[in-house]
């Protein structure tokens, strides 16, 4: 991973083991050139604002965050599409969530969001799990030059069923941080929503309410035997799911928590 902000640092073996043990949240930042994607990424990772950067540079950065008292390794892909989605597979299959950015003082950047939203919506339609998507109006500090109203941004996000925010990468770190942390929370909610609790099956042995006349079975030696079924199956699972359930394992299952994701603090470049 290269660095926009200095020389890359090679993490120690201890740090590598620490990072590998953290849950990950991959976020792709999308939008037209000049919308402020890189400025948002840098503001979140370093608390600094940059006005000049290479618009053709695409890179992925990692930061250890703590969201709601839970750590997570947040990986941010700052994409470098010019004015239209290109080779989208590189981030569609990688990202757990998407942030689509436009500039409130540039209507063209707002209109350029729709192809990204269309591609993401189509991808999610065929995906097994939902991925949170945020539409973000950037450069709120340019309010006097606004070309896209807040109502228009909200309307576009509502059309797709996505979330909507307006921020300023130039002025407000807390709002920018809130967006990335909210992405983690949404990813966590989706993970918990798709956590399946396996049902328990109970086998009861009790006399049948309606006794069946004994069946006569002949043996090879001419003797006969009477049989009477007394086992009543309340619910029989497939063989692969049948297990012996003890009180201890049931309590353990009741305390099992769904997997969660959280973010990182401190800029880490590899």
């Amino acid at each position: 991973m290269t660095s926009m902000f200095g020389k890359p640092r090679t993490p120690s073996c201890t740090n590598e083991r620490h990072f590998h043990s953290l849950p990950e949240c991959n976020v792709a930042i999308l939008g037209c050139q000049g919308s402020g994607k890189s400025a948002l990424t840098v503001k979140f990772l370093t608390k600094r604002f940059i006005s000049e950067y290479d618009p053709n540079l695409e890179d992925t950065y990692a930061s250890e965050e703590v969201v709601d008292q839970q750590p997570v390794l947040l990986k941010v892909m700052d994409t470098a599409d010019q004015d239209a989605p290109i080779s989208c597979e590189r981030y569609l299959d990688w990202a757990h969530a998407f942030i689509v950015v436009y500039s409130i003082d540039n209507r063209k950047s707002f209109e350029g969001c729709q192809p990204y939203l269309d591609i993401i919506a189509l991808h999610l339609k065929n995906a097994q799990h939902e991925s949170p998507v945020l539409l973000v109006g950037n450069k709120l500090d340019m309010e006097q030059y606004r070309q896209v109203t807040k109502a228009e941004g909200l309307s576009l996000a509502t059309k797709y069923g996505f979330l909507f925010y307006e921020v300023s990468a130039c002025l407000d770190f807390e709002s920018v941080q809130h967006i990335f942390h909210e992405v983690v929370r949404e990813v966590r909610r989706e993970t918990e929503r798709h956590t399946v609790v396996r049902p328990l099956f109970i086998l009861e042995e009790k006399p049948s309410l309606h006794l069946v006349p004994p069946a006569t079975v002949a043996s090879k030696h001419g003797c006969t035997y009477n049989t009477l079924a007394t086992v009543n199956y309340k619910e029989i699972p497939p063989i692969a799911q049948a297990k012996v359930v003890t009180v201890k394992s049931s309590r353990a299952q009741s305390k099992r928590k769904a997997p969660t994701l959280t973010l990182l603090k401190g800029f880490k470049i590899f």
Side-chain angles (χ1 to χ4, degrees):
M1 184 178 298
T2 58
S3 169
M4 291 172 56
F5 318 110
K7 295 182 179 181
R9 292 186 297 175
T10 303
S12 64
C13 295
T14 302
N15 287 337
E16 284 183 348
R17 287 194 295 269
H18 173 64
F19 287 144
H20 290 323
S21 67
L22 292 174
E24 292 185 4
C25 181
N26 300 337
V27 182
I29 311 295
L30 313 173
C32 296
Q33 189 176 37
S35 59
K37 304 185 300 294
S38 296
L40 282 174
T41 302
V42 174
K43 186 74 169 186
F44 170 66
L45 295 174
T46 70
K47 296 185 179 181
R48 292 184 294 155
F49 173 73
I50 59 170
S51 58
E52 296 182 2
Y53 51 86
D54 184 354
N56 300 311
L57 177 65
E58 179 170 300
D59 216 333
T60 302
Y61 306 94
S63 174
E64 183 180 349
E65 296 290 322
V66 177
V67 181
D68 302 332
Q69 293 78 51
Q70 296 179 354
V72 63
L73 184 63
L74 180 61
K75 294 184 177 180
V76 182
M77 179 187 289
D78 180 17
T79 61
D81 292 337
Q82 297 302 313
D83 291 316
I86 301 174
S87 302
C88 308
E89 293 76 13
R90 72 186 187 279
Y91 51 75
L92 288 177
D93 296 331
W94 173 83
H96 299 125
F98 304 89
I99 298 178
V100 182
V101 183
Y102 69 90
S103 175
I104 68 167
D105 67 338
N106 187 334
R107 178 161 292 275
K108 183 178 179 181
S109 71
F110 176 71
E111 295 170 350
C113 283
Q114 186 142 342
Y116 289 99
L117 298 176
D118 287 336
I119 287 175
I120 294 172
L122 180 62
H123 170 73
L124 296 181
K125 183 179 180 181
N126 300 319
Q128 294 182 348
H129 300 291
E130 289 292 326
S131 297
V133 183
L134 277 65
L135 178 62
V136 175
N138 189 26
K139 303 185 182 181
L140 196 56
D141 54 291
M142 304 294 285
E143 178 69 37
Q144 64 271 31
Y145 304 110
R146 180 189 284 270
Q147 296 181 6
V148 183
T149 67
K150 185 175 182 179
E152 289 177 299
L154 179 60
S155 177
L156 182 60
T158 303
K159 173 184 174 182
Y160 291 90
F162 298 156
L163 300 175
F164 174 73
Y165 293 91
E166 284 189 340
V167 297
S168 169
C170 175
L171 301 178
D172 191 0
F173 167 74
E174 285 72 20
S175 295
V176 173
Q177 182 187 55
H178 175 74
I179 288 176
F180 285 90
H181 283 200
E182 195 61 28
V183 166
V184 175
R185 294 186 181 99
E186 289 296 325
V187 170
R188 184 186 302 154
R189 292 183 189 111
E190 288 298 328
T191 302
E192 293 174 348
R193 191 174 295 124
H194 289 88
T195 300
V196 179
V197 178
R198 298 185 63 182
L200 297 178
F201 295 90
I202 302 174
L203 178 65
E204 294 182 350
E205 293 186 4
K206 61 182 180 181
S208 176
L209 296 179
H210 303 286
L211 297 179
V212 180
T216 302
V217 181
S219 70
K220 293 182 179 179
H221 304 288
C223 300
T224 60
Y225 298 92
N226 292 332
T227 61
L228 179 62
T230 60
V231 178
N232 176 36
Y233 291 94
K234 186 174 183 182
E235 185 172 6
I236 304 178
I239 294 177
Q241 296 181 355
K243 290 186 178 180
V244 177
V245 179
T246 64
V247 174
K248 182 177 180 180
S249 63
S250 299
R251 289 176 179 173
Q253 182 177 10
S254 67
K255 296 180 180 179
R256 190 174 302 157
K257 297 182 179 180
T260 57
L261 291 177
T262 28
L263 285 182
L264 334 161
K265 206 161 194 177
F267 184 40
K268 305 286 182 184
I269 303 177
F270 302 92

